Every structure is written in C-alpha cells, then in structure tokens.
Amino acid sequence: MVTEFAGKTVFVSGGTSGINLGIAQHFARSGARVFVISRDPAKVDAAVAGLRELGAEADGMSADVRQYDQVKAAFDRCAEVFGQIDILVSGAAGNFLAKAENISSNGFRAVMEIDVLGTHHVMHAAYPHLTKPGACIINLSAPQGSVAMVGQAHVCAAKSGIDMLTRALALEWGPKGIRVNSVSPGPINGTEGQKRLVPDPAAVEERINSVPLRRMGTVQEVADLCAFLASDKATYITGTVIPVDGGTTLNPTPTRMGQFLEE
Ligand code: COA
C-alpha cells in the first residue's frame, strides 16, 4: 500500500473520465482522499464508486466549471467532507476539431469558458483552502499551448491562456506558499482527446511516427508527472509548463491533424 499522499486531499476538476480520472485514481492509490467534479452526475457517481473500490476516501459532485457558484459549492462540500484541500488538479477541458472560419462565437466561447474561465474558477475557489505550506495546483494544458495546430485555433488560444494563468498565479501566490504548474500531455493512448483529434485509425500510425519516442503516452505517465509535482520532491518547482509528450512539441507535424478538415 503506497501512502505517499496519506492525509492529503486532492480535488480534480473533470476527474470523472480520461486522463483526469487516471490522475484521480493514481492519487487514490497513493493514499490521498480524492474529490472529483464534472457535469454529468452519473459519471461522478461511477468515478467516486471506482475510487472507493481502490480503497480511497472519495467523494464528488456534479458541477460545470463555467459556473462559479457550482464550483464554489463543490469546494465547500469537499472541505466539509474531508476537512481540508491540499492539491488542486484542474483538468476540465473542451475540444473539437474545426477550422477557425467554421467556429461560431458560441463554439469559441464554449472552449474558452471551459478551459480558461473554468481554470480561473477552480483556482479562485481553491485559493482560501490552499494558503498553507505544501499546497499546489496542477493545471492540465496541451501542446496547443505553445504549438500552432490547424483546426485548433480555439484550443491554442485556450491552452496558452491556461499556461499564462499558471505563470501569473505562480508569481502572485508563490509568497503564500502555493506552487502552480501546468502539465502538457501529448498524444495519450485511448483518450477522448485522441478520438477527437485523430478520428481516422489509419492516421494513428502517422501520428505515432511524428512523436520522437515513436509511441503514444499512457495515462499513468501523465499521472506520474502530476504526483511528482505534488510531492515533496518538487518543492522548488513553480510556474512551469512541463510536457509529458514523448518530445511531440519538438516536431511540428501535429499540424497535419487539420488534414481531416475540408479546405
Ligand atoms: N465544429 C464546430 N463547432 C462545434 C463543434 C465542431 N466539431 N462541436 C461543437 N461546436 C459548437 C456548437 O455548434 C455550439 O455552437 P453553436 O451554438 O453556435 O452551434 C458550441 O460549439 C457549443 O456546443 P454545445 O455542444 O452546445 O456545448 P457544450 O457546452 O455542451 O459542449 C464542447 C462544449 C463543444 C467543448 C463539447 O465538445 C464538450 O462538452 N466537450 C467536453 C469534453 C471534451 O471536449 N474533451 C476533450 C478534451 S481534449
């Protein structure tokens, strides 16, 4: 039984599926209490049940990160149930593949609100709970935050916004003892993001060949980075954007994701 995070409470937004659920599960297996939120109550119930099966104290609530009142209520409940909050993983995100000229105002707004406004909301609501030694925030970003990609203008804008929030709040909140970092997963096997961005199975091989390490990453590899950042081995690391992408951002070929879109 791993107890690295025993006595800590981890709050994971978007933590009911995909990479975020994998992160929540990793913290659960490492002794943490885990609280997850997402929009769908059924997914919250299933995720909480799964986390409890791992032996963790777990709870959750249905909340849309775009709605500050819902986010605030979720933090209040987490603090009430577990008595404290130590680590925030902000993972809720929205994505679809579309050329900029085909994205409506509402479509652009949806992604910006989930990603950028949602990250602000969870960081803001977490702040009063995190002003203590050892607290940290991990924001989920993506290579789009630094690499321009066809069909991803909205996501590029959103992820670079998240990365600047990471830097700005690391600066503001460092004196309070709160570390803030972004992790930036590249192509991760079996995720919603991969399904959305590389919908053609024939293109998966080409995608893999664009990765210097010549394979997709695993959810566990992303979770391992988050655990490192939250651990006492990373106590002097803040304001960074750390890729976990097999070197993907060194290679601009992901721009070819846009090949699936009509000219
Ligand atoms: N191309 C262009 N526009 C799209 C689109 C696409 N493939 N998919 C959605 N949109 C637009 C919709 O048309 C709508 O705009 P409109 O009202 O002008 O028609 C707008 O986006 C909002 O869509 P809607 O489905 O009503 O919003 P939502 O809040 O329910 O969903 C999304 C938000 C669109 C980001 C949705 O993809 C989502 O919920 N994603 C969460 C999960 C996710 O993306 N995971 C991947 C992480 S990498």
Side-chain angles (χ1 to χ4, degrees):
M1 173 79 182
V2 183
T3 55
E4 184 178 9
F5 292 102
K8 303 271 187 189
T9 301
V10 185
F11 186 109
V12 187
S13 74
T16 60
S17 62
I19 292 176
N20 301 320
L21 177 58
I23 294 167
Q25 289 167 338
H26 183 75
F27 277 110
R29 284 191 296 264
S30 304
R33 297 177 287 251
V34 181
F35 193 97
V36 292
I37 63 166
S38 75
R39 274 187 293 176
D40 183 345
K43 284 170 92 176
V44 173
D45 289 346
V48 169
L51 291 164
R52 287 177 180 162
E53 274 173 25
L54 294 174
E57 284 183 64
D59 205 345
M61 207 168 129
S62 159
D64 185 337
V65 292
R66 291 173 282 194
Q67 305 298 329
Y68 185 74
D69 290 351
Q70 295 180 21
V71 170
K72 175 78 171 50
F75 276 91
D76 288 347
R77 174 162 167 104
C78 178
E80 187 187 315
V81 172
F82 292 138
Q84 65 192 69
I85 303 169
D86 305 279
I87 297 157
L88 165 64
V89 178
S90 172
N95 197 352
F96 50 81
L97 202 53
K99 290 268 186 76
E101 63 268 29
N102 297 324
I103 303 173
S104 69
S105 175
N106 199 34
F108 196 90
R109 182 184 300 113
V111 172
M112 292 300 283
E113 284 192 351
I114 296 169
D115 284 32
V116 182
L117 189 63
T119 300
H120 169 71
H121 282 166
V122 294
M123 291 172 87
H124 187 280
Y127 177 77
H129 303 282
L130 297 183
T131 50
K132 61 187 171 194
C136 85
I137 297 173
I138 298 164
N139 292 325
L140 268 288
S141 182
Q144 286 90 325
S146 59
V147 177
M149 296 186 198
V150 173
Q152 290 284 277
H154 47 323
V155 179
C156 291
K159 295 299 187 185
S160 62
I162 289 174
D163 291 342
M164 284 311 293
L165 277 176
T166 288
R167 295 183 181 106
L169 294 201
L171 190 63
E172 282 192 25
W173 293 353
K176 301 282 181 191
I178 305 173
R179 296 182 299 108
V180 189
N181 292 287
S182 283
V183 303
S184 178
I188 303 299
N189 205 13
T191 58
E192 174 76 20
Q194 277 311 297
K195 268 182 250 152
R196 284 170 185 249
L197 299 180
V198 190
D200 177 359
V204 170
E205 195 175 341
E206 183 187 354
R207 181 80 175 105
I208 289 171
N209 284 334
S210 76
V211 180
L213 288 182
R214 294 293 189 273
R215 67 172 176 87
M216 296 242 187
T218 64
V219 170
Q220 187 59 46
E221 287 170 315
V222 181
D224 284 340
L225 175 58
C226 293
F228 167 71
L229 284 170
S231 78
D232 59 10
K233 296 183 179 67
T235 46
Y236 207 47
I237 300 175
T238 195
T240 64
V241 179
I242 304 184
V244 48
D245 68 353
T248 297
T249 36
L250 304 172
N251 190 343
T253 43
T255 53
R256 284 179 53 73
M257 281 189 319
Q259 70 190 296
F260 303 113
L261 302 167
E262 287 177 17
E263 283 302 317

